[in-house]
């Protein structure tokens, strides 16, 4: 383990006291608490159906809009915009990771990305009428900013937690996020369901819910910014950091070829997480457009997901201590496949069965993501955390453009959201077999790290 530098920053988790680590871990949890409200209230619940309705208001008699002269079904606008947002993130995330490792200053970059995303989300209050292009632009800025901030946030994990702690710390972070998501969804449900009593229209209630997610994101980001420290491991000081960041990125891409097992894990994660992210972002569109469910039903279902995801993340963290993180994630992927199969056959206008499916999603959602993050933290060479987590985040959010694209194309070609949802099964099946082939313990050793007792 590296010692602290002369300016008092620390190199690794092992170079700090237990009290220091706990303080940073508690601050670290709160970025999940801050940003998860965007993922839940905006991306999962409100923006998909609302942006679709705004696009339909701008559509021609055949149901098409024409951005830049390209004919698109109004029902595909949200899925396509999500795809564009993650392509934008791909261009920015590796640079952010390289600059963070080059300068050792993750906190200012985290703050910039977080507040850009929070500002764009708050700006969604002005999304009304037929202004679907404004909504698409704000979604692109917010989604790509979140992805960049998560590169920097995740890169703290191997620096604030010892190897044996990481499954637990990562799972607690996800649990914090789902707790905040559930709490804000309750407030959203009260406002949306009783909008007439509050003297606002249904559309205005939705826009308030979107905007307050941005305010929440920005407000609670202050806590991790106060508690986290910049951990500098061989960091070069700042002059020419941006140009050096691009050069370092190219070196990182070449360097990653030295760790083929780490790359094998990333490939598996890219595939199955693409499916997870697409289910999360398109669930409300599927429920409203294909199953004919009202917004109150959708909010209640996502709230159920949030509540059960807290228990699921913590429960799967305990399973990982007994069976290993890899086996636990593989089990969750089998459950995801069954969930999509059941989703295809869900009857329309049957809220009870939609709630059952939401409960199943909640049971595996947090744990599959939290354990994947902790698994990858063991595969990162010391001193290259932000750069390697930029590649991870490209798999997490930054390269999760293929699933929404497949979903959008399936609907574009068939006009059926059932065909779109079942098309996602391939991501979980293929991801399962790719992950099963990765010898995780060997991958940890190849990265120069000490493996925990069970992986």
């Amino acid at each position: 383990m590296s010692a602290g530098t002369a300016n008092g920053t620390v190199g690794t988790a092992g170079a700090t006291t237990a009290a220091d680590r706990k303080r940073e871990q508690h601050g670290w949890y709160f970025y999940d608490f801050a940003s998860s409200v965007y993922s839940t209230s905006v991306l999962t619940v409100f923006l998909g159906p609302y942006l679709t309705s705004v696009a339909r208001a701008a559509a021609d008699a055949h149901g098409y809009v024409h951005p830049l002269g390209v004919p698109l079904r109004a029902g595909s606008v949200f899925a396509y915009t999500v795809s564009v947002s993650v392509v934008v993130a791909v261009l920015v995330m590796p640079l952010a990771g390289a600059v963070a490792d080059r300068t050792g200053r993750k906190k200012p970059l985290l703050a910039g990305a977080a507040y850009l995303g929070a500002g764009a989300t708050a700006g969604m209050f002005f999304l009304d009428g037929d202004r679907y292009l404004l909504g698409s632009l704000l979604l692109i800025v917010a989604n790509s900013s979140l992805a960049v901030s998560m590169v920097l946030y995740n890169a703290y994990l191997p620096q604030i937690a010892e190897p044996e702690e990481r499954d637990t710390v990562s799972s607690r972070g996800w649990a914090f996020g789902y707790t905040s998501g559930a709490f804000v969804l309750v407030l959203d449900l009260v406002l949306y369901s009783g909008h007439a009593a509050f003297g606002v229209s249904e559309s205005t209630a939705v826009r308030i819910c979107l905007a307050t997610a941005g305010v929440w994101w920005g407000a609670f980001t202050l806590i991790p910014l106060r508690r986290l420290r910049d951990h500098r491991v061989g960091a070069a000081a700042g002059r020419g950091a941006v140009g050096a960041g691009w050069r370092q990125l190219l070196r990182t891409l070449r360097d990653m070829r030295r760790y083929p097992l780490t790359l094998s894990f990333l490939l598996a994660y890219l595939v199955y997480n693409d499916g997870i992210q697409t289910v999360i972002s398109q669930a409300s569109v599927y429920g409203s457009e294909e199953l004919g469910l009202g917004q109150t039903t959708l909010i209640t279902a996502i709230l159920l997901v949030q509540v059960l995801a807290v228990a699921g993340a913590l429960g799967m963290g305990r399973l990982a201590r007994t069976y290993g993180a890899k086996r636990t994630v593989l089990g969750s992927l089998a459950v995801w496949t069954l969930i999509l199969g059941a989703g295809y056959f869900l009857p329309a206008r049957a809220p009870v069965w939609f709630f059952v499916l939401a409960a199943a999603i909640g049971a595996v959602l947090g744990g599959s993501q939290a354990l994947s993050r902790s698994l990858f933290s063991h595969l990162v060479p010391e001193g290259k955390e932000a750069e390697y987590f930029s590649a991870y985040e490209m798999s997490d959010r930054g390269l999760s453009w293929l699933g929404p694209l497949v979903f959008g194309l399936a609907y574009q070609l068939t006009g059926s959201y059932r065909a779109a949802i079942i098309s996602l099964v391939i991501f979980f099946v293929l991801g399962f077999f790719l992950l099963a082939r990765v010898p995780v313990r060997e991958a940890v050793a190849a990265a120069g790290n000490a493996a925990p007792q069970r992986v």
Side-chain angles (χ1 to χ4, degrees):
M1 295 291 184
S2 301
T5 61
N7 63 5
T9 55
V10 292
T12 65
T16 65
T17 67
D20 290 335
R21 290 203 309 275
K22 290 298 182 184
R23 175 179 170 80
E24 289 199 83
Q25 287 168 11
H26 291 159
W28 187 80
Y29 299 149
F30 268 94
Y31 191 68
D32 257 324
F33 190 86
S35 62
S36 291
V37 171
Y38 166 82
S39 299
T40 303
S41 292
V42 177
L43 196 62
T44 304
V45 177
F46 286 107
L47 189 58
Y50 186 69
L51 184 58
T52 300
S53 69
V54 173
R56 287 202 165 119
D60 61 21
H62 302 288
Y64 285 82
V65 292
H66 302 268
L68 302 177
V70 179
L72 301 177
R73 283 185 187 265
S76 295
V77 167
F78 177 68
Y80 287 151
T81 303
V82 171
S83 290
V84 172
S85 73
V86 293
V87 171
V88 171
V90 165
L91 301 177
V92 182
M93 286 192 303
L95 174 61
V99 171
D101 282 335
R102 173 74 177 176
T103 64
R105 293 177 58 80
K106 288 192 283 291
K107 268 211 309 189
L109 294 170
L110 174 62
Y115 284 108
L116 179 61
T121 305
M124 291 177 186
F125 179 79
F126 301 102
L127 174 59
D128 59 359
D130 60 358
R131 303 168 75 181
Y132 77 96
L133 288 177
L134 173 63
S136 295
L137 176 61
L138 293 174
L139 172 58
I140 290 169
V141 173
N143 225 31
S144 56
S145 296
L146 177 65
V148 171
S149 72
M150 293 304 292
V151 169
L152 305 159
Y153 167 71
N154 286 335
Y156 275 102
L157 179 59
Q159 295 179 328
I160 64 173
E162 298 287 359
E164 298 291 344
E165 298 177 297
R166 289 180 198 166
D167 286 347
T168 299
V169 171
S170 183
S171 295
R172 285 177 180 169
W174 282 106
F176 263 61
Y178 287 119
T179 299
S180 72
F183 176 73
V184 174
L185 269 183
V186 170
L187 300 181
D188 290 341
L189 181 60
V190 170
L191 174 61
Y192 180 82
S193 301
H195 62 84
F198 288 103
V200 297
S201 67
E202 180 178 341
S203 172
T204 301
V206 170
R207 292 188 290 118
I208 291 173
C209 292
L210 295 173
T212 52
V215 174
W216 180 284
W217 182 0
F220 282 99
T221 294
L222 292 172
I223 298 176
L225 292 180
R226 285 181 62 86
R227 292 201 170 192
L228 291 172
R229 293 178 291 169
D230 283 325
H231 296 246
R232 302 186 183 186
V233 182
R239 292 179 59 186
V242 173
W246 281 111
R247 293 191 296 273
Q248 187 171 339
L249 170 60
L250 295 176
R251 289 196 297 270
T252 299
L253 295 176
R254 291 193 294 267
D255 183 67
M256 290 187 74
R257 292 183 297 180
R258 297 168 50 203
Y259 306 98
L261 296 180
T262 298
L263 286 174
S264 296
F265 174 84
L266 273 179
L267 176 61
Y269 181 69
L270 183 156
V271 172
Y272 71 74
N273 188 65
D274 204 346
I276 293 174
Q277 295 297 327
T278 307
V279 172
I280 292 171
S281 66
Q282 305 302 319
S284 288
V285 174
Y286 182 69
S288 63
E289 301 297 323
E290 184 67 38
L291 302 181
L293 302 175
Q295 190 74 63
T296 299
T297 298
L298 297 176
I299 297 172
T300 305
I302 301 303
L303 178 59
L304 179 62
V305 170
Q306 298 299 302
V307 172
L308 292 179
V310 175
L314 297 176
M316 287 182 66
R318 293 190 182 96
L319 287 175
R321 291 199 293 271
T322 302
Y323 300 104
K326 176 183 172 180
R327 289 182 180 178
T328 306
V329 173
L330 287 172
S332 75
L333 297 182
V335 175
W336 275 108
T337 303
L338 294 175
I339 286 171
L340 285 181
Y344 178 81
F345 294 104
L346 277 185
R349 290 173 290 280
V352 172
W353 288 111
F354 193 72
F355 292 150
V356 171
L357 199 68
I361 291 175
V364 294
L365 175 59
S368 55
Q369 294 177 315
L371 293 178
S372 296
R373 178 169 64 186
S374 62
L375 259 179
F376 183 70
S377 74
H378 296 294
L379 310 183
V380 177
E382 184 182 359
K384 300 179 179 180
E385 291 85 3
E387 292 177 65
Y388 274 61
F389 266 105
S390 72
Y392 175 86
E393 193 64 25
M394 286 170 66
S395 299
D396 188 356
R397 286 178 174 84
L399 288 185
S400 294
W401 55 269
L402 185 58
L405 181 62
V406 168
F407 188 94
L409 285 173
Y411 178 77
Q412 178 96 2
L413 296 173
T414 67
S416 169
Y417 283 107
R418 292 187 188 273
I421 202 72
I422 201 64
S423 69
L424 303 179
V425 166
I426 185 62
F427 292 96
F428 295 100
V429 174
L430 182 57
F432 179 97
F433 286 107
L434 290 173
L435 178 60
R437 293 172 57 87
V438 178
V440 174
R441 190 168 294 277
E442 293 178 27
V444 175
N449 297 320
Q453 185 177 0
R454 294 187 183 276
V455 291

